[in-house]
Amino acid sequence: MKVAIYGKYYLNSTEPIIKDIFVFFINNNVEMIIEAEFLKILHEKKIIKKEYKTFSSHTELNNSFDMLISIGGDGTILRAAALVRDSGVPILGINAGRLGFLATVQKENIDEFMQFIIDKKYTISKRTLLSLTSTPTNEAIEEINFGMNEISVSRKDTTSMITIETYLNDEFLNSYWADGLIIATPTGSTGYSMSCGGPILTPDVRSFVITPIAPHNLNARPLVVPDETEIRLKVSGREENYLVSLDSRITSVKNETILVIKKTPFQINMVEIPKETFLKTLRTKLFWGEDRRN
């Protein structure tokens, strides 16, 4: 078995997780290829002394890898998705962060869940992504033009609202007067969109969510649309620029730029362990069915 390992180092919380994973894989003769910057940190912190083969780019990940192990939080998985891209390499998230909707394997269960991986007792959850193009072309957007969670537009350098003209398949939907607008995938529906009042979608739903951020017109509600919809945005405001984010990547874009958002032709494969399903994660992370009043 051959795995790629990518992660972020958090003082005190990550070290025991990393050691447990490395010991387990070594004992099970798993070939490990480590992301170069991550391995450098592990050497500097004296967590790992041995040298390993490394990778640095998405071009080095191919179908010879059985899986990519992401060690960190959900943000780490989003960055891992930018490495995997359209290679089809499945991602398993080990949670060293806090909430962890995507990084579902908890540090207390590493050995048990890693054994599921060795025994191939897992399923693949396919996650839809959003693509983004702009007119005129923005170089920062063109570099990595997709998001696994959401694509959002928001105001920059001002407290004033922006106006977001929104079209669905060339038909005018609405002009949102708001701090911004979120276009979320089912995976991203439990993130920024949910915090702004958007609905939760299960990962297999073929839809996107359009959620306004602090809209001035209070009757502007989140809207669920089919994921075959082409969404076109045109933003204007008092400042010359506004912000566009694709997951954790942010760039500044000029007013009147046309943004076109569509489903990508590829999906990200997330590894789902039998005891850590999406529905269980919802119950656990959102305390559903629990009385938290006292």
Side-chain angles (χ1 to χ4, degrees):
M1 188 175 188
K2 178 180 177 182
V3 300
I5 296 181
Y6 171 74
K8 292 294 178 182
Y9 177 80
Y10 306 99
L11 186 64
N12 300 325
S13 64
T14 317
E15 185 170 340
I17 295 173
I18 294 167
K19 288 182 176 178
D20 286 347
I21 290 171
F22 273 69
V23 169
F24 184 89
F25 281 153
I26 290 170
N27 290 340
N28 285 275
N29 299 313
V30 174
E31 181 183 0
M32 292 180 283
I33 315 297
I34 320 299
E35 194 271 330
E37 288 299 316
F38 187 45
L39 183 61
K40 181 181 177 182
I41 292 171
L42 298 184
H43 282 157
E44 289 174 352
K45 300 295 182 181
K46 295 181 170 46
I47 299 172
I48 301 296
K49 296 180 181 178
K50 183 180 173 182
E51 290 294 336
Y52 288 89
K53 294 179 182 178
T54 64
F55 71 96
S56 303
S57 166
H58 70 278
T59 59
E60 299 169 74
L61 294 176
N62 53 45
N63 58 13
S64 70
F65 288 86
D66 294 284
M67 192 173 294
L68 182 144
I69 307 295
S70 170
I71 305 170
D74 284 358
T76 309
I77 289 184
L78 296 177
R79 287 185 284 273
L83 284 170
V84 168
R85 301 194 186 190
D86 59 353
S87 68
V89 176
I91 300 174
L92 175 68
I94 310 294
N95 187 22
R98 288 168 290 186
L99 193 57
F101 273 102
L102 291 172
T104 54
V105 175
Q106 307 304 315
K107 58 185 177 182
E108 299 84 5
N109 310 109
I110 286 178
D111 281 0
E112 178 186 1
F113 289 160
M114 289 295 100
Q115 191 62 50
F116 284 132
I117 300 305
I118 297 296
D119 297 337
K120 299 189 182 301
K121 294 180 179 178
Y122 58 85
T123 56
I124 295 295
S125 175
K126 291 187 174 295
R127 304 302 179 96
T128 301
L129 285 75
L130 293 159
S131 70
L132 176 64
T133 56
S134 63
T135 306
T137 300
N138 181 291
E139 290 184 5
I141 290 175
E142 293 296 317
E143 183 179 355
I144 304 179
N145 68 337
F146 63 87
M148 184 173 172
N149 260 8
E150 74 271 320
I151 292 171
S152 66
V153 298
S154 57
R155 57 194 173 116
K156 179 180 185 285
D157 299 331
T158 180
T159 57
S160 300
M161 294 178 296
I162 55 177
T163 301
I164 308 131
E165 291 181 29
T166 306
Y167 295 80
L168 305 182
N169 293 332
D170 292 326
E171 182 178 352
F172 179 66
L173 170 66
N174 189 22
S175 285
Y176 292 96
W177 304 332
D179 286 353
L181 192 69
I182 304 164
I183 315 297
T185 65
T187 299
S189 69
T190 54
Y192 193 12
S193 175
M194 183 176 72
S195 71
C196 292
I200 295 173
L201 305 181
T202 58
D204 55 347
V205 170
R206 296 181 178 180
S207 300
F208 296 139
V209 180
I210 301 174
T211 306
I213 305 169
H216 177 69
N217 39 342
L218 297 180
N219 57 348
R221 311 308 303 164
L223 178 66
V224 178
V225 301
D227 66 5
E228 297 295 338
T229 305
E230 180 183 281
I231 302 168
R232 190 169 83 249
L233 308 178
K234 182 180 179 182
V235 179
S236 58
R238 293 184 180 179
E239 299 296 324
E240 292 184 1
N241 298 283
Y242 61 94
L243 296 177
V244 173
S245 69
L246 296 87
D247 293 337
S248 58
R249 307 180 299 277
I250 301 176
T251 188
S252 178
V253 175
K254 290 184 178 181
N255 271 348
E256 308 297 323
T257 296
I258 303 296
L259 303 177
V260 176
I261 299 167
K262 296 189 291 186
K263 180 172 69 174
T264 62
F266 63 92
Q267 295 173 305
I268 292 293
N269 294 322
M270 294 297 300
V271 174
E272 193 168 88
I273 301 295
K275 294 184 180 180
E276 294 295 331
T277 64
F278 177 76
L279 296 183
K280 181 185 177 183
T281 301
L282 281 183
R283 290 195 305 273
T284 304
K285 303 299 182 180
L286 300 182
F287 306 109
W288 284 2
E290 296 185 28
D291 189 343
R292 309 290 293 184
R293 290 175 292 182
N294 296 315

